[in-house]
Amino acid sequence: MSFGDPNNPYGQQQQGGQPGYGYPQQAPQGVPQQGYGYPQAPPVPGGYGYPGGPTEMPGGVKAARVMLYVIAGLQVIGAIFVALAAAAVNAAKNDATLQEDVQFQQLADYSGNALWGITVFALVWGVLAVVLAAKFGKGGNGVRITAIVFGVITAILGIYPFIVIGLAHTVLAILIVVFVAKSDGGAWFTRQRQH
């Protein structure tokens, strides 16, 4: 005996077996029924549905970390060039033909010292970038804030004194600030850590 299409809610339904399509099933007796629209369990605290926040570093934060390493590399390269320039100024200062030129000697003293200072600053800034990048894995909100401040200062320094050379620094620094300041970056740095 054929009863037609079993998926047709308007057709004749089979007797026995499963209830028809569109009709709620009855729970076995002794099992309390839960009303429609009520949650099965309480919501889980933390971001991304995991207790205590995300368990894997978001892509933007990973990118910001790589950009910090790139900035550190650029700082080392820049420090090498500035150190070579400082050495060249010191060599010119010791040139016998320029020994009597007092103005050149004063400029060479000032320029040489300034170039060595810039070299040290570039190296320190590069080390700070590496330390920040290394702390992205376990660091808290303080690392996030430090990375944002580092990015802003790097962007400003890239614009003002080194307009052409600092363009790469400026772009990378702005991207670091954006990626770390986004909501998924905030969730990563403020998550609960397992000790």
Side-chain angles (χ1 to χ4, degrees), residues 86-181:
V89 167
N90 283 339
K93 183 172 82 170
N94 296 332
D95 187 4
T97 58
L98 297 172
Q99 288 289 335
E100 287 87 31
D101 190 352
V102 176
Q103 290 179 338
F104 175 77
Q105 291 297 326
Q106 289 175 345
L107 179 65
D109 285 339
Y110 176 75
S111 297
N113 292 337
L115 289 173
W116 285 116
I118 290 172
T119 302
V120 170
F121 176 76
L123 290 174
V124 169
W125 204 250
V127 168
L128 179 60
V130 169
V131 169
L132 274 173
K135 292 202 171 268
F136 267 36
K138 298 197 186 237
N141 203 35
V143 172
R144 177 180 184 229
I145 292 169
T146 306
I148 291 171
V149 170
F150 176 88
V152 168
I153 293 172
T154 302
I156 292 170
L157 290 176
I159 290 172
Y160 173 63
F162 312 108
I163 293 173
V164 175
I165 299 170
L167 185 61
H169 279 79
T170 302
V171 170
L172 291 172
I174 290 170
L175 289 173
I176 289 169
V177 170
V178 169
F179 289 146
V180 172

Side-chain angles (χ1 to χ4, degrees), residues 43-71:
V44 179
Y48 297 163
Y50 300 107
T55 57
E56 184 178 330
M57 189 182 298
V61 177
K62 286 180 185 177
R65 177 187 237 182
V66 170
M67 290 175 199
L68 282 168
Y69 286 127
V70 170
I71 285 178

Side-chain angles (χ1 to χ4, degrees), residues 178-189:
V178 169
F179 289 146
V180 172
K182 283 180 17 181
S183 61
D184 61 346
W188 172 254
F189 287 106

